[in-house]
Amino acid sequence: MGTNGTTCPGPMKATSNGVFQGENPLEHALPLLILQICIVLLLTRLLAFLLRPLRQPRVIAEIVGGILLGPSALGKSSKFINTVFPPKSLTVLDTLANLGLIFFLFLVGLELDPKSLKRTGKRALSIALAGITLPFVLGIGTSFALRSSIADGASKAPFLVFMGVALSITAFPVLARILAEIKLLTTDIGKIALSAAAVNDVAAWILLALAVALSGEGSSPLTSLWVFLSGCGFVLFCIFVVQPGIKLIAKRCPEGEPVNELYVCCTLGIVLAASFVTDLIGIHALFGAFVIGVIFPKEGNFANALVEKVEDLVSGLFLPLYFVSSGLKTNVATIQGAQSWGLLVLVIFNACFGKIIGTVLVSLYCKVPLDQSLALGFLMNTKGLVELIVLNIGKDRGVLNDQIFAIMVLMAIFTTFMTTPLVLAVYKPGKSLTKADYKNRTVEETNRSNKPLCLMFCFQSIMNIPTIVNLIEASRGINRKENLSVYAMHLMELSERSSAILMAHKVRRNGLPFWNKDKSENNSSSSDMVVVAFEAFRRLSRVSVRPMTAISPMATIHEDICQSAERKKTAMVILPFHKHVRLDRTWETTRNDYRWINKKVMEESPCSVAILVDRGLGGTTRVASSDFSLTITVLFFGGNDDREALAFAVRMAEHPGISLTVVRFIPSDEFKPENVKIEITEDLIGSGATRLIDIEAITELKAKIKEQESSRSNSDSESQIIYEEKIVKCYEEVIEVIKEYSKSNLFLVGKSPEGSVASGINVRSDTPELGPIGNLLTESESVSTVASVLVVQQYIASRPVGISKNVTTEESLVEDSESP
């Protein structure tokens, strides 16, 4: 269709015929929208990358990116704004942004668990109320100053409520992201902050609903009352009618099975229908989506599957458009003159003063230490997306003018930006552990000092649990409950996705990681099964396993492991191998990130480390029963790592079901190593003090065997520890000797064996963290075995520990079910 010659611009066509047809694609809705989305994504991701060293949440980059594209910066150029963001395109942009925001608010509602609000402690509830009341009062006071200066025509009641809500909000999703970034998410201070923020968030939405109800154009008080009462009726309808239907759908989505597409479409349709109803009432379409998210059942497979299908598209693609839509309305240039800048300072001061002082005073009253109280004050002052939603609703309804809108947006950026650096500055949790506090960093030292052995098992998923339970059973000895302390740490990735905060909620629920005490729920997650397994093992074996949870990005989760190991004073950290065995007995990589974690822990651990290569340790053996039995073989070549493996194996041999064989390799006079250079180097290292300590360890082992034999002289049973020396002439004889023990259940080997015999073993592999013997038993075709392998690295004091300076004695960086 051609133009009709009128001066009024007609509506934009959806698509163009292309430049070769003489049309400009930027004058059509779809290509222009695609360009806008690409520019927004590029700019916000670039800013997020630049702000990452400052440890700022991504929302800061998105808000700043929106402002830069608006009239405050690039939008000053009329050519740019008329080409990329012409006024006639803003309706499409705003519609798409608000559609994305509807689904994002549904996800935000999913993050809030009403059941957890009921269990909010008195401290968190008091802090939340203080963090709402004082800023709300100061916001009302600030509104009087603004109305008398730059907001003459603003309606009194709506303006007061909007200002009060804007200053009292704590952005729950942004706060959770900041806590995760500075590794406080699962500490006591993190739990208090999140619980208080959750209460604050719900209260803010209620107040915002009130503000929206009061802000109707030309409406009477009776109309506002009807809007508010209709909103309350809508919430009750969702709770008593919609929620049972959603629960019925959720029950038809069992764990481990794909979710029916019909259920997903039905749920998204419910979200849109609820948004339509709230918009019809006159509140806002966002409230309907948020309410559906809050009442949505958090247990089971359905919620997680729904989040996975919706979140990436919404938060990654559509949500940044909302920040641009907001940025296009923000003109910093409207803040002119000393009066306007003075009012900006006043707003920022009142926002910070109300939140920080109110939170600090109540925290001190609740006997929270001063440094933690200050940190809580700064954390509760976090603003973000919800703040922008409040401000945009206020601007769209004519409650806030351009100047006040710009002032409030700058206040939100400032208060959020300062949170991380101020928390890190004021919160110094405890002192580093000294060497005197942490002595037994190896199993060998622990055995010699006759102190309780402390082990930390890390696992990635429920598939690792049977092997871990069997290994714990093997390590407990005979009636040594008081001499064995075990921690089981679940490694959980905290991704850039906001739904990762759901994971933190599950961890903290009822104070126990992975544990759901609600017996009415039929769906049991794998997390529940983890705790059930450890609890059953505790009752059977009388060994208490303390579940822990490390929630961090994969790039830094090794720090959590090392810090927790030092805080718990563990002698050994046991990590799962990054590969698992398939049914056809071939290796499959679980995830390459786990290999990097294992390498970093080996480099920075404050204690000994072992990597468990699992081939089904123990098979179907039932733990803690009289039938429990394992055949363990130690391949001893010499050196620190081999002695640590031997010490751990000797500890295991105390269990009546363990049969231990220690094989020591001794080179014959005519032994010819394949690599002369390595052989000379290893001889130098293995000589002297190290070799004497090896001989001493073997001597102690022989004495233990004799003592064991004498104690069993009246019994027909054989000794549980067998010591054998194998004199070998070449590398091939070493292989043949190892093959003799291929039917063992478990091999214990050192990562870096020393001596001339070990120097001849050179296995080509892409897993150097297993060492030559570990790779020989795992990757090489020379030795065919179905035995699991535990590759041990002993802690050496000279090895630098990169993060021990950050380890504290007062706060745990992971969620712990009970203190030691």
Side-chain angles (χ1 to χ4, degrees):
M1 294 177 62
T3 60
N4 56 12
T6 59
T7 56
C8 261
M12 298 180 72
K13 291 174 57 180
T15 59
S16 73
N17 295 322
V19 292
F20 296 110
Q21 301 278 346
E23 292 188 356
N24 183 0
L26 297 184
E27 294 179 355
H28 297 76
L30 181 60
L32 181 59
L33 180 64
I34 292 173
L35 177 65
Q36 291 170 345
I37 293 175
C38 292
I39 292 175
V40 170
L41 293 181
L42 181 64
L43 181 61
T44 54
R45 293 292 176 169
L46 177 62
L47 289 173
F49 176 77
L50 295 176
L51 292 174
R52 187 176 299 169
L54 300 177
R55 308 179 82 169
Q56 294 297 325
R58 199 172 73 189
V59 66
I60 290 289
E62 292 170 334
I63 295 175
V64 173
I67 293 175
L68 291 179
L69 291 173
S72 302
L74 294 174
K76 287 183 177 180
S77 169
S78 58
K79 186 175 182 179
F80 172 81
I81 203 72
N82 291 329
T83 303
V84 181
F85 294 102
K88 59 183 179 181
S89 72
L90 296 185
T91 301
V92 176
L93 180 66
D94 288 346
T95 302
L96 190 61
N98 278 279
L99 182 63
L101 190 64
I102 285 173
F103 288 112
F104 184 79
L105 263 295
F106 167 67
L107 298 177
V108 171
L110 273 176
E111 293 179 358
L112 290 175
D113 188 0
K115 294 179 182 178
S116 66
L117 295 180
K118 296 178 183 177
R119 295 188 294 269
T120 301
K122 292 183 179 179
R123 284 197 304 180
L125 186 60
S126 302
I127 291 170
L129 293 177
I132 295 171
T133 307
L134 185 56
F136 191 85
V137 172
L138 288 176
I140 293 176
T142 305
S143 67
F144 284 106
L146 294 174
R147 285 187 79 247
S148 63
S149 54
I150 60 175
D152 315 4
S155 302
K156 187 175 181 180
F159 186 64
L160 296 181
V161 178
F162 266 101
M163 289 300 300
V165 172
L167 265 65
S168 61
I169 278 178
T170 296
F172 177 80
V174 180
L175 173 63
R177 181 62 54 189
I178 291 175
L179 288 170
E181 181 66 29
I182 59 180
K183 295 190 179 298
L184 293 177
L185 184 63
T186 53
T187 61
D188 289 339
I189 185 175
K191 287 186 285 186
I192 293 174
L194 274 187
S195 298
V199 175
N200 189 295
D201 219 23
V202 173
W205 281 103
I206 295 173
L207 291 173
L208 181 56
L210 176 62
V212 173
L214 293 173
S215 63
E217 295 183 2
S219 59
S220 64
L222 186 61
T223 303
S224 298
L225 179 62
W226 275 113
V227 170
F228 187 73
L229 291 177
S230 298
C232 294
F234 168 77
V235 173
L236 294 176
F237 178 81
C238 289
I239 293 174
F240 293 106
V241 178
V242 179
Q243 189 177 39
I246 297 178
K247 284 185 176 180
L248 186 62
I249 295 176
K251 288 180 180 180
R252 299 174 67 90
C253 302
E255 190 82 22
E257 294 185 12
V259 176
N260 193 321
E261 183 187 4
L262 177 63
Y263 299 152
V264 176
C265 293
C266 182
T267 303
L268 298 182
I270 292 173
V271 172
L272 293 174
S275 300
F276 174 77
V277 171
T278 51
D279 193 75
L280 185 69
I281 291 172
I283 306 178
H284 198 284
L286 303 178
F287 285 94
F290 179 74
V291 170
I292 297 297
V294 171
I295 68 168
F296 203 90
K298 308 300 188 291
E299 302 300 326
N301 183 42
F302 189 36
N304 293 331
L306 195 62
V307 167
E308 288 180 1
K309 292 177 181 296
V310 175
E311 185 178 29
D312 288 338
L313 180 65
V314 170
S315 62
L317 191 64
F318 291 149
L319 191 61
L321 298 181
Y322 187 78
F323 293 101
V324 173
S325 176
S326 177
L328 292 173
K329 304 171 189 174
T330 308
N331 190 358
V332 180
T334 58
I335 307 175
Q336 295 178 347
Q339 184 188 44
S340 296
W341 287 105
L343 290 172
L344 172 62
V345 174
L346 175 67
V347 169
I348 293 176
F349 175 80
N350 284 348
C352 296
F353 183 85
K355 274 288 183 183
I356 297 172
I357 299 301
T359 302
V360 169
L361 290 178
V362 174
S363 300
L364 291 175
Y365 178 77
C366 295
K367 298 181 180 180
V368 177
L370 179 60
D371 59 341
Q372 295 187 29
S373 299
L374 288 171
L376 281 171
F378 293 134
L379 288 168
M380 294 299 291
N381 198 32
T382 303
K383 303 290 190 288
L385 176 64
V386 181
E387 176 84 3
L388 280 189
I389 293 173
V390 173
L391 298 178
N392 276 279
I393 292 176
K395 190 172 189 309
D396 292 341
R397 297 198 169 228
V399 178
L400 306 178
N401 61 30
D402 291 345
Q403 195 170 354
I404 295 177
F405 183 79
I407 288 174
M408 299 302 291
V409 170
L410 291 182
M411 179 271 293
I413 295 175
F414 180 83
T415 54
T416 306
F417 191 89
M418 75 179 194
T419 300
T420 300
L422 286 180
V423 170
L424 293 175
V426 302
Y427 186 51
K428 309 283 185 183
K431 299 179 180 179
S432 301
L433 292 175
T434 62
K435 292 184 179 179
D437 298 326
Y438 188 7
K439 293 181 179 179
N440 299 316
R441 297 173 181 260
T442 68
V443 177
E444 189 177 20
E445 290 176 355
T446 305
N447 288 352
R448 288 178 179 174
S449 63
N450 200 27
K451 297 290 184 180
L453 177 64
C454 184
L455 301 175
M456 179 182 290
F457 293 84
C458 299
F459 62 97
Q460 305 149 358
S461 68
I462 195 171
M463 292 191 303
N464 305 127
I465 301 301
T467 296
I468 289 177
V469 171
N470 277 318
L471 201 54
I472 295 173
E473 168 67 18
S475 306
R476 74 183 180 95
I478 305 173
N479 298 324
R480 293 186 63 166
K481 175 186 175 184
E482 68 282 357
N483 285 334
L484 179 62
S485 178
V486 179
Y487 297 91
M489 177 182 284
H490 192 174
L491 307 181
M492 304 179 76
E493 180 184 12
L494 185 71
S495 66
E496 283 293 328
R497 306 170 70 176
S498 62
S499 62
I501 310 306
L502 273 173
M503 180 172 57
H505 281 299
K506 293 179 181 179
V507 170
R508 291 194 324 278
R509 187 177 291 122
N510 294 326
L512 264 180
F514 318 113
W515 185 247
N516 178 18
K517 295 180 180 178
D518 188 359
K519 303 300 182 183
S520 64
E521 292 288 348
N522 295 324
N523 293 330
S524 62
S525 65
S526 60
S527 300
D528 298 329
M529 296 167 66
V530 170
V531 173
V532 169
F534 286 135
E535 178 66 15
F537 174 72
R538 183 190 67 80
R539 294 180 180 180
L540 289 170
S541 65
R542 296 175 299 166
V543 175
S544 177
V545 181
R546 297 176 176 88
M548 305 172 69
T549 309
I551 306 176
S552 282
M554 282 296 179
T556 61
I557 201 168
H558 67 278
E559 297 178 7
D560 294 44
I561 297 172
C562 296
Q563 290 168 350
S564 298
E566 185 155 355
R567 195 183 68 85
K568 299 298 183 184
K569 301 180 183 179
T570 56
M572 179 179 286
V573 174
I574 300 176
L575 304 164
F577 191 43
H578 70 280
K579 296 181 181 180
H580 61 272
V581 178
R582 299 170 56 179
L583 294 176
D584 58 359
R585 311 306 299 176
T586 59
W587 290 107
E588 182 179 19
T589 300
T590 306
R591 185 169 175 178
N592 273 321
D593 290 333
Y594 292 129
R595 181 191 174 193
W596 186 87
I597 292 171
N598 291 350
K599 292 174 69 175
K600 295 298 291 184
V601 172
M602 281 190 153
E603 292 171 3
E604 301 180 5
S605 175
C607 61
S608 296
V609 183
I611 295 179
L612 177 61
V613 182
D614 181 26
R615 288 193 177 102
L617 178 62
T620 58
T621 303
R622 183 170 298 174
V623 298
S625 68
S626 57
D627 297 331
F628 180 84
S629 63
L630 285 178
T631 303
I632 300 176
T633 301
V634 176
L635 303 179
F636 189 89
F637 295 86
N640 297 321
D641 295 349
D642 279 25
R643 287 199 313 276
E644 186 73 358
L646 177 62
F648 193 29
V650 170
R651 166 74 189 220
M652 290 182 177
E654 296 178 3
H655 193 288
I658 300 295
S659 176
L660 172 64
T661 302
V662 179
V663 182
R664 184 187 181 192
F665 292 88
I666 302 175
S668 65
D669 295 336
E670 58 269 23
F671 181 81
K672 296 180 180 179
E674 294 188 358
N675 193 320
V676 178
K677 290 184 180 180
I678 293 180
E679 182 257 332
I680 294 175
T681 304
E682 295 292 342
D683 274 347
L684 290 173
I685 296 174
S687 62
T690 303
R691 184 168 296 176
L692 290 175
I693 299 175
D694 289 345
I695 294 173
E696 181 181 347
I698 294 298
T699 303
E700 291 177 0
L701 175 65
K702 291 179 179 178
K704 189 175 184 68
I705 293 174
K706 286 184 179 180
E707 179 183 352
Q708 191 180 72
E709 289 175 347
S710 61
S711 65
R712 297 191 177 190
S713 57
N714 298 328
S715 174
D716 295 333
S717 61
E718 297 180 359
S719 173
Q720 285 185 273
I721 304 179
I722 301 173
Y723 172 73
E724 297 179 357
E725 292 184 350
K726 299 292 184 179
I727 300 176
V728 293
K729 299 179 181 178
C730 59
Y731 169 73
E732 286 73 17
E733 289 190 5
V734 176
I735 301 297
E736 292 302 320
V737 170
I738 294 176
K739 285 181 179 179
E740 296 176 13
Y741 303 93
S742 60
K743 293 185 178 180
S744 302
N745 299 118
L746 177 67
F747 281 101
L748 266 72
V749 300
K751 174 181 177 287
S752 302
E754 300 177 6
S756 54
V757 177
S759 68
I761 301 176
N762 185 15
V763 181
R764 293 183 179 180
S765 175
D766 60 350
T767 54
E769 63 270 19
L770 296 183
I773 310 302
N775 278 311
L776 181 66
L777 294 168
T778 306
E779 302 283 352
S780 175
E781 297 180 358
S782 302
V783 178
S784 177
T785 179
V786 294
S788 299
V789 182
L790 191 67
V791 181
V792 180
Q793 172 186 278
Q794 187 178 58
Y795 169 78
I796 301 174
S798 59
R799 182 183 293 119
V801 182
I803 63 169
S804 60
K805 61 184 180 181
N806 295 325
V807 179
T808 68
T809 57
E810 298 179 8
E811 291 282 354
S812 171
L813 295 177
V814 295
E815 177 69 16
D816 193 350
S817 62
E818 58 180 297
S819 58

